[in-house]
Amino acid sequence: MSDVTIFAPSPTLTVTVEEHGGEPDIHVHAGGQGVWQARMLLRLGASVTMCCTLTGEVGRMLRHLLEDEGIGVAGLERPGKGSAYVHDRRGGERRVIAETEGEPLARHDLDELYGLTLREGLASGLAILSGPAGDEALPADTYRRLAADLREGGAKVIVDLAGERLDAALEGGVDVLKVSDEELTRGGFVTNGSVAEIMTAMRALHGKGAEAVIVSRATDPLLILDAQGFAEVTQPRMSVADTRGAGDSLTAGVAAGMVRGERPRDAVVTGAAAGALNVTRHGLGTGDADTIAKLRESVTVREILDDSAAHISQPVTGHVSPDGLAALAEPEDER
């Protein structure tokens, strides 16, 4: 039994050509949202099982790559064309040579994958529902059913989704929703991107079925809404090598904290540190636990005074929740 189960319907075989010493340097890895989340979870000391489809030659290669990294694989093997890409980075930027999203899941394949995910997710007690490689891979309603059934069985559910898949998962109910401000804009939840507007959208997402909502905002502080109210989470600003995968590292960090029994507001500190470290690296979902632990010391969490009726947010320097007032009342040597 793993600490975390990740639903990753269609992982991607990635082939990247770089240059080293004037010669082509070819790298072959497993990739995709669920893989990057799993990779960071492993760095943070959590064991992971990935529930996925392994399609054709690509799928056979992916199983070996995933298992070599230490990721448990509950895979549905099937014939056909799997998700893969070939990118050339010798010029300093990614140039697409070839890519495919793979083939959609047939009804019977989806039933088998659904059953695998329920079995593993209920055993773990914590599941991350990640997106597929392409929009046509499986029906969005799958996320509603999975979220509802996993929680009915007592598992906690974390999602990092957008569009129809996000709407479906919220209908099923989730414990933690992680979403970016860009995804909120594309989804029509916000228009001007102000903190007040984002907070209004977060209240709406909470009302739709998310117990806690985390919004990432590129280099700006994260925002979180949970049972304690709103808070602003400021992560250290690092030199950027590649921003891709930072959001998935954030999600993985939150999951790793929850495995240790932390509330989302506490777990988001590890998530913020993991996301900050990931942007310094070209390997997505990578980093080391010691550096992340050190970066946690630079993450600050500040409660936000929220006037819901006026839709106005006002950051405050002190703690204004009951827990915060109790903390302020403690003697200094007891904090």
Side-chain angles (χ1 to χ4, degrees), residues 88-267:
D88 189 340
R89 291 191 55 168
R90 285 175 291 180
E93 297 182 357
R94 290 183 182 271
R95 184 167 66 90
V96 177
I97 304 301
E99 59 184 9
T100 176
E101 296 179 349
E103 299 174 354
L105 274 70
R107 180 170 60 85
H108 293 299
D109 291 338
L110 180 57
D111 286 345
E112 290 298 319
L113 180 59
Y114 193 95
L116 284 175
T117 305
L118 276 183
R119 183 191 73 196
E120 297 296 332
L122 293 177
S124 295
L126 178 62
I128 299 176
L129 306 186
S130 69
D135 290 337
E136 304 303 320
L138 74 170
D141 190 60
T142 306
Y143 290 89
R144 176 193 62 79
R145 296 193 298 119
L146 264 179
D149 289 347
L150 285 166
R151 295 184 88 212
E152 182 67 21
K156 294 186 181 299
V157 175
I158 301 173
V159 301
D160 182 358
L161 301 168
E164 292 182 350
R165 291 187 285 272
L166 168 58
D167 293 337
L170 288 174
E171 188 176 346
V174 303
D175 293 274
V176 179
L177 162 65
K178 182 269 167 186
V179 65
S180 72
D181 57 348
E182 293 180 349
E183 289 164 340
L184 290 179
T185 300
R186 288 195 295 269
F189 289 99
V190 302
T191 55
N192 61 36
S194 68
V195 172
E197 188 182 38
I198 291 173
M199 288 170 63
T200 298
M202 294 170 74
R203 282 193 291 269
L205 293 168
H206 172 70
K208 286 177 176 288
E211 294 294 326
V213 181
I214 300 169
V215 177
S216 60
R217 299 190 297 147
T219 58
D220 291 329
L222 311 171
L223 297 173
I224 181 170
L225 170 63
D226 61 7
Q228 296 174 260
F230 285 98
E232 176 187 82
V233 183
T234 302
Q235 62 269 60
R237 290 177 177 264
M238 312 296 285
S239 299
V240 177
D242 192 342
T243 59
R244 296 190 318 146
D248 297 315
S249 294
L250 165 61
T251 301
V254 172
M258 291 177 65
V259 166
R260 296 191 294 266
E262 295 177 351
R263 300 171 304 173
R265 180 167 299 204
D266 302 315

